[in-house]
Amino acid sequence: MNLKQLARMLDLSQTTVSRALNGYPEVSEETRRRVSDAARQHGYRPNPSARRLATGKAGMIGYVMPTGASVDIDPHFVEFLSGLGDYVRAHELDLVLSPAEADDEETTYRRIVANKLVDALYISAPRHADSRIALVQDLGIPYIVHGRSEGLDFDYPFLDIDNEAAFHDATRLMVQLGHKRVALLNGEEAQTFAICRERGVRRALEASGLVLPPAMLRSVAMTEENGYRATRSLLMQSEAPTAIVCSSLIMALGVVRAARDLGRSIPRDLSLIAHDDVFPWLKPENFSVPLTTTRSSIRAAGQRIAERLAARIAGQEAGALGEVWPVDLIVRSSIAGAPA
């Protein structure tokens, strides 16, 4: 079915149908839903070239994906991408992944914007004073950042979770249970989320007259193997931690394995709280000892960012709107009072 046939069937003009499918704000929500339902029912998909000529829009959201030998596939990113894909698939949009060398992403950003390949971009894993955000701001294309970057001299649109509050609350609970040697197993130190999580841990410890010494901090890429190695190094110290706050459920797999190999029982010898991004294939309640977690759905974040990008493409959202989600603390069996 082509656009003309779809419009005739709905007794609408081709212009109205085209505008409904492309999210123009002057089309009523009832008409937009009616057109979308009919297009889905009859298998209609707008021709990308025709849509670009008619509307000036590509109907695509873009992401510059760093590649190279130093880049690992991150399960957190895959889960986020699934959420984003859920939304764009249901709203007649497409997602374009543009690979780029990890140390030369700027060239790819400039190319896809200059060639008008996408209508909007999202940026993930922001770093301090992230130059990608400054570049995209200057290029003038709609965008949203997943996370936040500190050190920029302008405001920008973002969606983030309250990392500092989440790890403050997790650490405070450990302190309330009597733990004085609390370690942080964190993500890479250049990432803003890791900076905020460390800040939350330090703030909770300082409120009780405690500190986070260098020997109790590990900042690594969030893999199971890194979690294992970092935990072994922590537990083999003469003043080993009695509690660990961990930045990833995937790293927590390594924590559990290291504790078992060293004969440490969770939670009798070691209490553990991990951040849980709600993976459908890795559930904290199914660990050998159900894990206490700070919980937020990264898949839901992907859906929300896609929704906001679609609104920005349609002119329904503008400006430097920041959105911060609270994080739940789910208490399970992996924590206990500090060992005597």
Side-chain angles (χ1 to χ4, degrees):
M1 178 174 285
N2 60 33
L3 181 66
K4 183 177 181 180
Q5 293 168 328
L6 182 63
R8 184 185 300 121
M9 185 189 72
L10 292 168
D11 197 23
L12 296 170
S13 70
Q14 293 183 52
T15 300
T16 298
V17 172
S18 176
R19 288 176 176 270
L21 291 171
N22 287 284
Y24 279 74
E26 59 265 33
V27 179
S28 71
E29 184 60 35
E30 180 182 351
T31 299
R32 185 179 295 111
R33 187 182 305 110
R34 180 177 162 224
V35 171
S36 296
D37 289 347
R40 190 177 304 112
Q41 180 182 352
H42 294 279
Y44 172 77
R45 292 280 293 176
N47 179 280
S49 298
R51 176 166 53 187
R52 186 179 289 110
L53 287 171
T55 68
K57 293 184 171 66
M60 297 184 181
I61 292 170
Y63 175 70
V64 175
M65 183 173 66
T67 60
S70 63
V71 178
D72 294 320
I73 296 176
D74 185 351
H76 302 86
F77 169 72
V78 174
E79 187 67 14
F80 173 86
L81 204 61
S82 296
L84 193 146
D86 288 343
Y87 185 91
V88 300
R89 184 186 66 249
H91 290 81
E92 303 298 332
L93 293 167
D94 287 297
L95 176 65
V96 177
L97 300 181
S98 298
E101 287 291 336
D103 58 354
D104 187 28
E105 296 178 53
E106 179 175 322
T107 300
T108 303
Y109 278 110
R110 291 187 182 279
R111 175 178 59 81
I112 63 178
V113 173
N115 293 337
K116 298 182 179 180
L117 298 177
V118 300
D119 301 314
L121 292 162
Y122 81 90
I123 299 171
S124 66
R127 301 175 287 271
H128 181 78
D130 199 312
S131 61
R132 297 174 301 167
I133 301 173
L135 172 63
V136 173
Q137 176 80 7
D138 289 342
L139 292 174
I141 188 171
Y143 73 97
I144 291 179
V145 180
H146 182 210
R148 282 175 280 180
S149 175
E150 299 176 333
L152 296 171
D153 60 0
F154 60 91
D155 295 327
Y156 54 88
F158 68 84
L159 171 68
D160 198 9
I161 64 173
D162 197 338
N163 285 290
E164 181 173 342
F167 276 62
H168 170 273
D169 293 349
T171 305
R172 182 176 60 183
L173 177 57
M174 294 294 204
V175 172
Q176 290 171 343
L177 290 169
H179 294 278
K180 299 184 182 303
R181 298 195 303 276
V182 180
L184 170 61
L185 183 47
N186 207 359
E188 294 176 278
E189 59 187 1
Q191 304 291 337
T192 305
F193 78 84
I195 295 170
C196 292
R197 291 176 183 182
E198 181 180 337
R199 188 181 298 152
V201 170
R202 290 187 184 278
R203 184 160 59 87
L205 291 172
E206 289 167 1
S208 296
L210 302 171
V211 296
L212 180 68
M216 291 290 178
L217 174 63
R218 299 290 185 275
S219 298
V220 296
M222 295 190 297
T223 66
E224 191 272 349
E225 182 63 23
N226 283 342
Y228 176 80
R229 293 181 180 181
T231 302
R232 280 191 67 97
S233 71
L234 285 167
L235 295 181
M236 293 178 72
Q237 299 177 131
S238 57
E239 291 290 313
T242 61
I244 292 177
V245 181
C246 177
S247 265
S248 163
L249 198 65
I250 294 168
M251 280 201 296
L253 290 168
V255 175
V256 173
R257 181 161 65 95
R260 182 183 65 242
D261 287 356
L262 294 173
R264 308 293 177 89
S265 172
I266 297 175
R268 186 189 64 214
D269 305 312
L270 179 69
S271 287
L272 174 61
I273 298 178
H275 182 67
D276 171 20
D277 283 313
V278 195
F279 297 115
W281 42 269
L282 181 61
K283 296 183 180 297
E285 59 268 31
N286 292 340
F287 275 58
S288 55
V289 177
L291 290 185
T292 296
T293 57
T294 57
R295 186 176 191 186
S296 179
S297 170
I298 197 169
R299 192 182 190 105
Q303 292 172 335
R304 177 58 179 156
I305 284 181
E307 179 184 23
R308 288 186 56 189
L309 285 172
R312 295 179 85 83
I313 292 169
Q316 298 167 347
E317 177 183 309
L321 176 64
E323 187 174 345
V324 180
W325 288 4
V327 178
D328 297 324
L329 178 60
I330 311 297
V331 177
R332 298 188 181 90
S333 305
S334 65
I335 58 174

